[in-house]
Amino acid sequence: MDKHIENKTTDLEYRETYYESDVVEGHAPEPVARLNGKERSAGAFQCAKSRRKYWIILSSMVVLGLLFTAGLIWYDNPMPVTHPGFRLIAERRLEAVLVMIIVAVCQALATVAFQTVTNNRIITPSIMGFESLYTVIHTATIFFLGSTALLQTRSLSMFLAQMGVMVLLTLVLYTWLLSGKRGNMHAMLLVGIILGGGLGSVATFMQRTLTPSEFDVLSARLFGSVNNAEAEYFPIAIPLVAIAGLLLLLSSRRLNVIALGREATTNLGVNHRASAIFTLILVSILMAVSTSLVGPMTFLGFLVATLAYQFADTYDHRFVFPMSVTIAFVVLTGSYFIMNHIFNAQGVVSIIIEMIGGSVFLFVILRKGRL
């Protein structure tokens, strides 16, 4: 019996060693623990195998994204390569790819950061009423001014106005419900859901009074599509996305701490409330840009974030963020390439993405059994 206890103690012995395979350029080697004969890392990844798996998947996603990008730009171009028209068509397609990059960065970073702050991997920023507000703005425009006015307001000023209203709404919501002494994240989420539902009801009421032709024009604008974006939006959208995205990336280590919960974050010396408000403001900017640029994409962020968590297999946002952005870009470019050039059904791309994202959402809900 004493021998059995001695062998068991030896099996559970914890030793730290360093391996050359774990050395990352610019970083010190990470200690690896041996527990029951298995290697486990104390760093962002459980072991060297997990690290290699991450980089293989990320590299594969980058290659897929480049292939789909090349296909969107050059495949099935009706003009010969030497013809001047080929360049014009390629430039137009390149604008669509640039819109996909912007949307991928916005949806991926915003959803992952939002789920970290709220400590829930089911909910997304869409529940805060961004898409409902977008729908109300366009529905009210055609309700009061007619379909012609809706087409005429497709300008930079309208883009800025929509984005400003969305950011202002969320700023008021966050500062009111999170900055007070009784700041409550759950109350903020509930108020966001109620506002989103209320705005959706108002939009539905106005839509029922529209003529069939006006409703048809409105419906085309309410589906998320890269065709809704204009090149004149880029000088505003790109700097905003770049700044907000960079700030989120620089906050990756702080988000790792926030993911531990309010109590643990406070005990580690981080102001949870201030960090949460700062992150949610960046999330609101990214979501406002994405929604104002292409329209609602309810389940894209959830789909991308869920896949990123599965593929990255780490808690560290320094690795989850790049994986989520890459997956989002592959999903968008791949969907548009397949639907445009294989099925000739460009108008249903967003519907397919929403259907797949919604199916993944239901699968996760049923598997977890709770929100």
Side-chain angles (χ1 to χ4, degrees):
M1 181 175 179
D2 295 339
K3 185 177 180 181
H4 174 71
I5 295 175
E6 182 180 357
N7 292 335
K8 186 175 181 181
T9 304
T10 304
D11 291 339
L12 295 176
E13 184 179 3
Y14 181 92
R15 299 190 303 273
E16 286 189 352
T17 55
Y18 294 100
Y19 294 90
E20 291 182 3
S21 60
D22 291 335
V23 178
V24 182
E25 184 178 354
H27 298 275
E30 297 174 348
V32 176
R34 284 187 178 276
L35 187 59
N36 293 333
K38 297 182 180 180
E39 297 180 0
R40 294 184 65 85
S41 171
F45 297 95
Q46 295 182 357
C47 57
K49 182 179 179 181
S50 298
R51 181 186 293 276
R52 288 193 296 269
K53 178 183 176 182
Y54 171 85
W55 290 112
I56 290 173
I57 294 176
L58 183 64
S59 301
S60 302
M61 290 296 171
V62 171
V63 172
L64 279 176
L66 292 176
L67 290 176
F68 284 133
T69 300
L72 287 173
I73 295 176
W74 285 289
Y75 182 78
D76 200 23
N77 193 317
M79 296 295 179
V81 178
T82 57
H83 194 279
F86 180 90
R87 180 179 177 182
L88 295 176
I89 295 175
E91 289 178 351
R92 178 57 182 170
R93 292 181 174 182
L94 185 61
E95 291 180 2
V97 172
L98 184 57
V99 174
M100 295 179 197
I101 294 175
I102 296 174
V103 174
V105 173
C106 291
Q107 293 282 343
L109 296 184
T111 303
V112 172
F114 186 83
Q115 291 181 347
T116 298
V117 172
T118 57
N119 198 22
N120 191 313
R121 291 190 177 182
I122 298 297
I123 59 178
T124 65
S126 299
I127 70 168
M128 302 308 296
F130 286 102
E131 297 173 358
S132 298
L133 185 59
Y134 176 90
T135 302
V136 166
I137 291 174
H138 285 78
T139 303
T141 301
I142 198 171
F143 178 81
F144 291 107
L145 304 176
S147 57
T148 304
L150 181 64
L151 298 176
Q152 291 177 349
T153 54
R154 191 174 177 177
S155 60
L156 180 61
S157 58
M158 184 63 173
F159 171 74
L160 291 173
Q162 290 180 87
M163 193 168 56
V165 171
M166 292 178 187
V167 173
L168 181 63
L169 174 65
T170 53
L171 286 178
V172 172
L173 196 61
Y174 298 154
T175 54
W176 172 41
L177 295 175
L178 291 181
S179 61
K181 293 182 179 180
R182 298 182 180 180
N184 192 318
M185 184 69 68
H186 296 91
M188 183 201 72
L189 296 176
L190 289 174
V191 172
I193 293 173
I194 294 172
L195 286 177
L199 292 174
S201 299
V202 172
T204 301
F205 171 76
M206 289 189 291
Q207 290 171 9
R208 290 183 178 275
T209 63
L210 301 178
T211 63
S213 59
E214 290 176 337
F215 183 78
D216 186 49
V217 173
L218 177 63
S219 298
R221 296 297 302 273
L222 297 184
F223 283 109
S225 174
V226 297
N227 295 326
N228 291 334
E230 298 291 343
E232 61 177 333
Y233 302 162
F234 294 161
I236 302 296
I238 293 177
L240 286 175
V241 172
I243 295 173
L246 180 61
L247 290 175
L248 278 180
L249 291 175
L250 294 176
S251 303
S252 296
R253 295 181 184 273
R254 184 181 290 107
L255 288 173
N256 293 341
V257 178
I258 294 175
L260 299 175
R262 180 186 295 273
E263 291 77 11
T265 301
T266 303
N267 292 335
L268 291 172
V270 177
N271 189 326
H272 182 274
R273 184 176 299 170
S275 299
I277 293 176
F278 174 74
T279 303
L280 290 174
I281 290 174
L282 297 179
V283 168
S284 67
I285 293 174
L286 291 174
M287 288 302 299
V289 171
S290 175
T291 306
S292 300
L293 193 65
V294 299
M297 287 192 172
T298 307
F299 289 107
L300 175 61
F302 175 82
L303 173 64
V304 168
T306 302
L307 294 177
Y309 294 134
Q310 294 296 322
F311 291 162
D313 195 21
T314 178
Y315 67 90
D316 199 332
H317 288 75
R318 294 176 299 169
F319 300 97
V320 177
F321 277 149
M323 180 66 76
S324 63
V325 172
T326 308
I327 292 175
F329 183 67
V330 170
V331 169
L332 286 173
T333 54
S335 299
Y336 273 92
F337 177 79
I338 292 172
M339 300 307 296
N340 287 3
H341 299 296
I342 297 180
F343 295 103
N344 295 321
Q346 178 178 354
V348 300
V349 173
S350 60
I351 300 176
I352 298 299
I353 294 176
E354 297 299 288
M355 182 181 69
I356 297 175
S359 301
V360 173
F361 179 82
L362 291 176
F363 173 77
V364 172
I365 290 292
L366 294 175
R367 188 183 67 175
K368 287 180 176 287
R370 59 185 178 84
L371 286 175

